[in-house]
Amino acid sequence: MAAIKTPKDVLELIKKENVKIVDLRFMDFPGIWQHCSYPISQIDEDVFTQGLGFDGSSIRGWQAINESDMLIMPVPSTAFIDPFTAVKTLVMICNIQDPVTGADYTRDPRNIARKAEKYLKKLGLADTAYFGPEAEFFIFDDIRYDQRTNEGYYHIDSVEGIWNSGRVENPNLGYKVRHKEGYFPVPPTDSLMDLRSEMAIALENIGIEIEAQHHEVATAGQAEIDMKFSPLVEMADNLLKYKYILKNTAKKFNKTVTFMPKPLFGDNGSGMHVHISLWKGGKNLFAGNGYAGLSQMAMYAIGGILKHAPALLALTSPTTNSYKRLVPGYEAPVNLAYSQRNRSAAVRIPMYSTSPKTKRLEFRCPDPACNPYLAFSAIMMAAVDGIQNKIDPGKPLDKNIYDLPPEEAIKVAKTPGSLRDALNALKKDHAFLLKGDVFTQDVIDTWIDYKMVNEVEAMDLRPHPYEFMLYYDI
């Protein structure tokens, strides 16, 4: 598909592809894609400058009922033909504006990401922040869950789950993936190669370049499909398209995809290692002659990310379930240190290539449950704060953390142990996010309040199934 840049390009594509419906999408505050569909009779060039109205009070974390009217503003360059709809449909991602003032809405996550890019350019430090997230996910065959006054449970099933090695399947062909052995045997043990290929092709068909796809470590269909890095806002847009394509491709095959960080007990969770580099004038500013081939700027960026990591996690690992993955003593990256190889460190410097163009930082704590507009913006702001204030990241952690004597291990700072702890860290440490009006105080306060009330406190109120195993016979 030819590059779409202007409203005229969109209207020509609608005519060329015989599109019948235009689907306009935007991100709510916590991080779920929303949409509204319009017949093409309602779409003309004026829509791109005047927008279309909707009720902002019905969107989580947004307007009050007395100021509910909002405008949805389509972005031409985000257009793609939806591969799943029965009626030919063109999709566009949108920005949100206030209909009275015409200003971009401060709680629109995409607006925050756009402000982050503008702030970087205004500073003159760099002109582009490139991001490359590695979003892991699970492909299950069946999922059931419920929570009521008198019961609460979940039940997951997957044909390749090791727990089905003895199940009557008429016939059971074996080849179940043992715990932590999914990375990455060939078929038939890898039963999902063709499905992942379908997903990868569908992503490329809508303009997202794919570098690789493979099974991941865990049993029961854990997977990863890697997108080529892109600038901040574009990559956040692409991650939403990625989730949409994966979920709906799986649905075609009567399977279900989840980006929940830790759905299975006793095996790896799904992280989203985020690669970041800053560029100016086509030059990678993170490449240099220092540790692991990094520049001094990159070292300061690491310092900023590590300093602000507890607060960052409130945005990059933003669910109570995230902290079932980020547990000390396991493979998860809970050590607030950096290393060129140690995967238990929060920041890693990939060493696959010595080319200056590939030099980058890999922040390993985030997971794919995050709102990417907020997460990528926050990571960039932490890196920039480190550069501005020349924050020293200290010495690298190139030792095996599990072999460190207790007196050394205790000196290595750890990530927060819960979402509550991360939100409290964000409450204390967010001045770096307010620079350039990228995040506003209202956004920070609303995020903390929403997460505390709707997730942390809601979880606190409910008995956990394992508590019955521990305490019922007391």
Side-chain angles (χ1 to χ4, degrees):
M1 187 173 70
I4 304 296
K5 297 182 179 179
T6 67
K8 185 178 179 181
D9 293 338
V10 172
L11 297 177
E12 289 178 354
L13 180 63
I14 287 173
K15 184 176 180 180
K16 177 183 177 182
E17 295 289 338
N18 195 26
V19 169
K20 302 297 183 184
I21 293 290
V22 172
D23 196 53
L24 301 184
R25 301 184 183 178
F26 62 93
M27 193 67 141
D28 73 5
F29 202 51
I32 299 294
W33 230 7
Q34 310 292 324
H35 78 132
C36 187
S37 301
Y38 303 84
I40 57 170
S41 60
Q42 302 301 305
I43 305 299
D44 56 25
E45 286 200 50
D46 289 341
V47 166
F48 294 88
T49 55
Q50 298 177 11
L52 293 163
F54 73 101
D55 176 10
S57 69
S58 297
I59 305 302
R60 297 181 300 169
W62 276 17
Q63 295 285 63
I65 192 70
N66 62 316
E67 50 184 16
S68 59
D69 291 344
M70 304 294 291
L71 289 177
I72 187 169
M73 311 293 293
V75 179
S77 62
T78 66
F80 67 95
I81 301 297
D82 194 311
F84 304 107
T85 54
V87 176
K88 196 66 168 285
T89 299
L90 181 135
V91 175
M92 281 185 285
I93 298 174
C94 302
N95 298 320
I96 307 300
Q97 289 185 357
D98 185 298
V100 177
T101 66
D104 292 323
Y105 183 42
T106 57
R107 294 190 200 172
D108 171 18
R110 194 173 193 272
N111 176 41
I112 292 168
R114 290 161 62 215
K115 287 193 292 182
E117 287 192 327
K118 291 175 184 176
Y119 175 64
L120 182 68
K121 291 178 182 178
K122 184 178 180 181
L123 286 176
L125 286 177
D127 53 39
T128 308
Y130 281 113
F131 281 81
E134 300 175 350
E136 298 170 340
F137 56 96
F138 278 90
I139 304 169
F140 294 138
D141 291 301
D142 189 59
I143 175 68
R144 292 181 287 118
Y145 53 88
D146 205 351
Q147 178 72 57
R148 307 184 191 188
T149 298
N150 66 319
E151 65 177 352
Y153 69 91
Y154 65 90
H155 181 82
I156 296 168
D157 208 2
S158 163
V159 70
E160 70 168 40
I162 189 59
W163 57 82
N164 283 323
S165 60
R167 184 173 66 174
V168 176
E169 294 180 349
N170 298 314
N172 185 327
L173 300 178
Y175 303 114
K176 309 301 183 187
V177 176
R178 288 180 286 271
H179 287 301
K180 300 184 183 295
E181 294 187 21
Y183 190 87
F184 29 44
V186 299
T189 302
D190 179 2
S191 65
L192 298 165
M193 179 179 176
D194 285 341
L195 177 53
R196 293 194 310 271
S197 292
E198 291 253 2
M199 293 170 172
I201 291 169
L203 287 165
E204 291 217 310
N205 286 344
I206 65 166
I208 297 176
E209 186 174 348
I210 299 302
E211 294 183 332
Q213 61 94 344
H214 57 83
H215 204 289
E216 258 298 341
V217 173
T219 188
Q222 193 182 34
E224 180 176 311
I225 299 175
D226 294 327
M227 297 178 281
K228 185 176 181 179
F229 64 88
S230 294
L232 192 158
V233 174
E234 182 182 341
M235 181 49 79
D237 288 342
N238 285 348
L239 189 56
L240 303 189
K241 296 175 184 179
Y242 176 93
K243 288 187 173 184
Y244 180 75
I245 292 293
L246 268 54
K247 289 178 179 179
N248 283 278
T249 304
K251 187 173 181 290
K252 281 173 55 179
F253 292 86
N254 289 320
K255 295 183 184 292
T256 178
V257 161
T258 182
F259 292 91
M260 186 175 176
K262 187 70 174 179
L264 295 180
F265 166 68
D267 214 333
N268 284 34
S270 292
M272 187 177 74
H273 307 150
V274 177
H275 298 252
I276 176 176
S277 58
L278 299 183
W279 291 60
K280 188 173 185 179
K283 180 183 178 182
N284 184 357
L285 302 179
F286 280 6
N289 299 315
Y291 174 80
L294 294 178
S295 66
Q296 184 61 61
M297 177 185 279
M299 297 302 290
Y300 290 146
I302 293 172
I305 290 171
L306 293 178
K307 176 183 176 181
H308 298 298
L312 282 180
L313 262 64
L315 295 162
T316 66
S317 305
T319 71
T320 58
N321 185 252
S322 300
Y323 300 86
K324 302 295 194 296
R325 166 182 169 258
L326 295 172
V327 178
Y330 295 87
E331 188 179 314
V334 298
N335 301 294
L336 295 182
Y338 68 99
S339 174
Q340 60 183 337
R341 294 195 173 180
N342 194 333
R343 291 173 183 266
S344 67
V347 175
R348 190 176 77 94
I349 299 90
M351 301 300 291
Y352 301 122
S353 171
T354 57
S355 169
K357 291 185 177 181
T358 65
K359 194 54 61 178
R360 61 202 187 270
L361 312 180
E362 178 189 4
F363 186 35
R364 295 175 61 81
C365 300
D367 63 57
C370 70
N371 183 326
Y373 297 114
L374 303 184
F376 297 164
S377 299
I379 294 168
M380 190 208 82
M381 293 298 286
V384 167
D385 187 66
I387 295 165
Q388 289 177 314
N389 292 291
K390 299 183 178 180
I391 297 174
D392 183 358
K395 294 181 179 180
L397 182 68
D398 287 334
K399 300 177 182 178
N400 186 335
I401 188 70
Y402 307 114
D403 292 339
L404 289 180
E407 61 272 16
E408 287 189 43
I410 199 170
K411 295 178 183 178
V412 181
K414 300 290 190 292
T415 54
S418 68
L419 179 58
R420 183 192 301 276
D421 291 346
L423 291 168
N424 285 333
L426 178 62
K427 192 171 185 178
K428 295 175 183 177
D429 176 26
H430 59 262
F432 71 100
L433 297 172
L434 302 179
K435 292 180 180 179
D437 197 42
V438 174
F439 287 77
T440 62
Q441 190 64 52
D442 171 66
V443 164
I444 299 296
D445 293 343
T446 302
W447 180 265
I448 292 171
D449 290 345
Y450 181 91
K451 286 285 178 177
M452 280 290 192
V453 172
N454 293 283
E455 299 180 32
V456 174
E457 293 173 3
M459 181 66 74
D460 288 345
L461 290 170
R462 287 161 172 80
H464 188 284
Y466 193 61
E467 290 178 318
F468 287 84
M469 295 284 288
L470 292 173
Y471 308 128
Y472 186 80
D473 59 347
I474 288 177

